[in-house]
Amino acid sequence: MKQPKRAVSKRQDARVMSALGGRIQPASGAMPGYKSDGRIPGRYRIETKYTQADAYSMSIKDLWKIAGECEGLERPLFIIDYLEKSTHKLRGRYAVLPFADLEKMIHALADD
């Protein structure tokens, strides 16, 4: 049975925010003052996307948009879910973040 895109997207937002300890933004970021799909206040501004294809096309403008919505010390985080076409079962979930953030994470883990 085909599920509406909005329902699939809302379920994705809920699962991602639950896994990361974040909160969903009202209207999935469509309201002034609540941009992006979710956030971990003071840490990350999160955009979620999904595809049922084998590839997802992302532009630098997509990344700049989420970065521009960050407040204070928040950092941008772009999550992409790859779903099965018929069942919407998760095939894979990946995160795109600024390289400088990845460097900090890797160095912090090395220091432990």
Side-chain angles (χ1 to χ4, degrees), residues 25 28-39 45 47 69:
Q25 296 285 75
S28 225
M31 295 173 52
Y34 294 97
K35 293 299 179 189
S36 72
D37 292 322
R39 65 192 291 212
R45 187 66 66 139
E47 188 69 23
E69 294 169 352

Side-chain angles (χ1 to χ4, degrees), residues 43-110:
R43 298 189 65 204
Y44 291 99
R45 187 66 66 139
I46 304 164
E47 188 69 23
T48 61
K49 299 293 182 188
Y50 76 89
T51 184
Q52 296 168 337
D54 289 338
Y56 180 84
S57 179
M58 176 179 21
S59 74
I60 190 75
K61 289 180 182 179
D62 295 327
L63 300 172
W64 288 341
K65 179 182 175 287
I66 188 69
E69 294 169 352
C70 293
E71 296 176 359
L73 298 176
E74 289 179 336
R75 304 296 299 152
L77 188 55
F78 199 97
I79 308 291
I80 305 162
D81 281 359
Y82 292 88
L83 306 177
E84 292 288 342
K85 260 188 186 178
S86 58
T87 64
H88 295 115
K89 181 179 176 188
L90 186 64
R91 292 168 52 200
R93 175 173 288 154
Y94 292 86
V96 178
L97 65 158
F99 186 77
D101 293 356
L102 178 61
E103 281 182 302
K104 287 178 189 174
M105 286 182 205
I106 288 173
H107 291 299
L109 289 172

